[in-house]
Each structure stands twice: as C-alpha cells, then as structure tokens.
Amino acid sequence: MPTTLVAGFLVKLPVIAIPLVLSLQVSLGLHRSLGAAGAVSGAWMAGVMAGAPALGWAMDRLSMRPVLAVSAVAQGAFWATADRLAYPALLCAALASGLLLVPGSTLTRTVLAVRTAPEHRQAAFALDTVTSQLSYLAGPALGAVLSTQASPATACRLLGIVLVLALGAFAVRSGQPSRSTLAPAGAGGRDRAGSGERDAPAGDADEVSQAGTGGGPEAAGVRGISFSVMGTALAGAFATGTVSSGFELSLIGLSREQGAVRWVGLLIAMCGVYAVLGGLLSGTLAATPRPAVPLLLLGLVTSPLGLADDWRVLLVAVAPAAMLAAMSFAVTAAACSAAATEHTRGRVLGLYGAAVAGGNALGAPLAGLATAAGGPAGGFLAVGTAAVLVALACWVLRARASRARPLPSQKG
C-alpha cells in the first residue's frame, strides 16, 4: 500500500497543477488572453471527464498495464511538445491529453480495491483522500513557482517527466494482479452486490457469485453491480466536487468584500489542513456511513458560512466543511468500490473520477453566478443547498431501493 499511495500522489501532483500550467503557458508563453487560456484548460478538463470512464472500461477488458503504457506515451508526447505548439494545435492536443490521462485517484483506488482486505478498505480510501488533499496543497503552488520563476516551458517539461515516471511506476509495480490472486468467484456465498445489501465493510461486493448467471464473467460482473448504491455514490461525489470548487471561489469573494484578500492564501491552506484531518478521521470510523450522511452535513455547515463577518471567524468556521468534504470523498469512493465487481471495477471508478471532475467544473460557475446575484454569501448558500438537495435525493433513492428488495423467502 505505501508504494501505491506514493505513486498515486506523484500522479496527482502534476495533474492538479495542469490547469494552472496550461493557463500560464497560453497567457505568458503565447501571449494570449485569459479567455484563451481558460479555453485550453477547459478542453483538457473536458477530455479528462470523457476519457476516464472509457479508460476504466479498457482496464477492465485489457488489464491496467497496457492502458497505462498508452497513457504514459501520450502524456510524454504532449508535455514534451506543449511549449512549442501554436494555440490551435495546443487546444486540440490538450483535449487529446485529457482523453488519454488515467486520473491518479482512479489508479490508486483501483489497486487498493483489489489488494486491500475488505475490513481495511475504508482506511485505505481515507489515506488516498489525504494524499489527494496534499496534492491540492502542493500542486498549484509548484506549478506557479516553476512557471513564473523559470518559464512555462520548464514547468511543462518537468510536469511531464514526473507524470510519465509515476504512470510508469504504476505500470511496473501496481498493475492488476492475476485472477488467481483474487478471491475466487462465489467464495463469499451470496451475492451482496446484486442484492444491494451493505451491512459488511466496503468491498464485500467484489466477491460476486457468478454461479448460474450465464453470459460469461463480463455479463456476470455487470449483473453484480448494485446500481442504486453506485448511483447514490456517484451523485454524492459529484455534489462534493461542486461544493469543493464553489467553496474556494466563495471564500475568495467573501475575503475581498471584507478587505482581507491578503489572508486568502492562509484560509485556503488551512482548508487543506482541515481536509487532511477529515480524511484521517474518516479512516478511523468503526462503520462506514452512507454517502448521503456526510454530504448532508457538508451542505448544512457550508450554507451559512457567508454570515462570517471577519476572516478570523472564517478561519475557524471553515473547519467542519473542509473535514466533511474529505470524509464525503472517502465514503463515496468506498461505496463505489463496494458496488463494483471484479469485472467492472475499472469503469465504475472511472465514472467516479468523471463525477468528481464534473462537480469541480460546475461548482465555480454556480458559486460565481450566485455571488453575482446575492453577494459572497450567496455562493456558499448555493453550493451548500445543492449538496443538501442531492443528499436528500440519494436518501430517497436508497429508501426506495430497500423497499423494492425482495424478502429472503422470495429469493431464488
């Protein structure tokens, strides 16, 4: 697990810095407008959202190593030439790079889901959330320093080197084990994933009984997915990503209104520290809560943050929201892993990565529109309310799925 977490961190670190580095390359290296810079970053993020599920499907069908090999070659080619491309070519190449990039969180969670015992899986996903928060703290700062103190071209090349080496480390050391190393089909008795039960620790759904399903292992794996569990987990991940990105923009707007812009860096850094603590705390929980629980609490504590009238108050008030966001990411990742089977894990966790990226893409515009309409307090209220509504919808969906579940006497 240490090797997996370190390699995952080394993939996440440059990936978190990519939007900033691309923006600086366009604005400083090509001397284009910020709008043009945003278009390139947006094309790359759109590629990641579209490519993550497809790459996950490819990992299910072909195994992890060949997919990582293609991804590493594509990233190496893009970042070795990004500083020499004209703007139209850079725009298209950024989209292609995003399409062929396997997100670090998807890689880490896929390996942890396979190689970690079910009773330890929640703690493993919590540690993965901690490394994600550390990459959020270090990645943009590292990209900004390299781009401004050296050059955007230097940042592009170094970013590409780290990314290719980290993907290569995963391909060599953390590829999916052979089927003989996994729990045999049917070893766990009844099919928990198919029944939608989640009484045991996350991961019991990976041991899916395939007896009598027909259609081969691929069909058995698809039938083993608990779609209600996966749907609520993906919705929770999307909403948490929305809160995370909208939260930062609202924080900047509130600090500017109070004349405390110089303290924004401290506020965001402390949010990262609180998130690390939240990730560690979620790994110590005796039982894994349903995704709707931390998401509902996250929305409730985020909505009133705009009422803080001093940056010192805000410094303390953001702690529960930052901790709950990290906990929500860990819980939803564990729920997706539990809903997946051996034959669908890649595409499910790929969908999870796309859901988080989609939420991140929505959060800032949503908070920006709400801030323009109602001030900085409106940004916090908008993203917090969105989280509450999604949590309630997930709760209703799970309740309906539970009522629709057949009684034990009706099974078979």
Side-chain angles (χ1 to χ4, degrees):
M1 192 169 74
T3 301
T4 300
L5 291 174
V6 171
F9 174 75
L10 292 178
V11 174
K12 296 171 191 175
L13 187 67
V15 168
I16 296 300
I18 282 176
L20 177 64
V21 171
L22 285 176
S23 297
L24 291 175
Q25 168 61 21
V26 174
S27 59
L28 300 180
L30 299 180
H31 306 289
R32 302 293 290 258
S33 67
L34 292 178
V40 172
S41 298
W44 177 81
M45 287 188 284
V48 172
M49 290 174 58
L55 293 173
W57 175 85
M59 286 192 291
D60 287 333
R61 296 297 298 267
L62 305 174
S63 83
M64 182 178 287
R65 286 192 175 100
V67 176
L68 287 179
V70 172
S71 182
V73 170
Q75 300 310 314
F78 173 70
W79 292 108
T81 59
D83 61 298
R84 295 190 291 271
L85 295 176
Y87 179 77
L90 181 61
L91 186 65
C92 297
L95 175 62
S97 173
L99 285 170
L100 294 174
L101 175 64
V102 183
S105 293
T106 299
L107 286 175
T108 308
R109 289 162 183 159
T110 301
V111 175
L112 292 178
V114 173
R115 295 189 170 184
T116 307
E119 62 270 19
H120 297 186
R121 204 161 290 165
Q122 173 64 18
F125 283 126
L127 288 174
D128 175 62
T129 300
V130 169
T131 64
S132 296
Q133 296 301 326
L134 292 175
S135 66
Y136 273 103
L137 286 174
L142 180 62
V145 169
L146 289 173
S147 297
T148 56
Q149 301 303 314
S151 69
T154 301
C156 288
R157 294 192 184 98
L158 291 179
L159 183 149
I161 290 172
V162 174
L163 185 55
V164 170
L165 290 178
L167 290 172
F170 260 110
V172 173
R173 299 289 304 277
S174 303
Q176 289 178 322
S178 63
R179 303 233 185 254
S180 61
T181 64
L182 297 171
R190 61 197 177 95
D191 180 348
R192 287 185 180 270
S195 65
E197 294 179 13
R198 283 294 173 273
D199 304 312
D204 286 354
D206 298 332
E207 299 178 3
V208 179
S209 174
Q210 296 177 7
T213 58
E218 180 72 16
V222 173
R223 290 189 181 97
I225 295 178
S226 176
F227 289 103
S228 64
V229 174
M230 189 179 71
T232 56
L234 291 176
F238 182 90
T240 306
T242 300
V243 173
S244 296
S245 60
F247 181 92
E248 292 183 359
L249 189 143
S250 301
L251 197 65
I252 293 172
L254 187 60
S255 300
R256 186 173 61 181
E257 185 181 70
Q258 296 175 356
V261 176
R262 64 184 182 278
W263 300 110
V264 167
L266 176 61
L267 287 168
I268 293 178
M270 286 306 300
C271 286
V273 173
Y274 295 142
V276 169
L277 294 176
L280 293 173
L281 178 62
S282 68
T284 65
L285 297 177
T288 305
R290 290 183 177 180
V293 175
L295 179 61
L296 177 63
L297 296 175
L298 173 61
L300 292 175
V301 300
T302 299
S303 297
L305 284 176
L307 301 177
D309 57 358
D310 188 89
W311 72 269
R312 299 174 188 85
V313 176
L314 198 59
L315 190 64
V316 178
V318 296
M323 295 176 71
L324 284 166
M327 186 177 296
S328 182
F329 279 129
V331 168
T332 52
C336 271
S337 173
T341 70
E342 174 189 337
H343 305 286
T344 60
R345 186 177 290 114
R347 75 195 74 175
V348 168
L349 292 177
L351 284 171
Y352 180 86
V356 174
N360 286 333
L362 174 66
L366 175 62
L369 291 174
T371 298
F380 287 112
L381 182 61
V383 296
T385 301
V388 170
L389 293 176
V390 172
L392 293 176
C394 290
W395 211 301
V396 171
L397 178 62
R398 285 298 301 271
R400 289 182 177 178
S402 298
R403 288 196 297 269
R405 184 186 307 160
L407 297 174
S409 60
Q410 297 174 318
K411 293 183 180 179

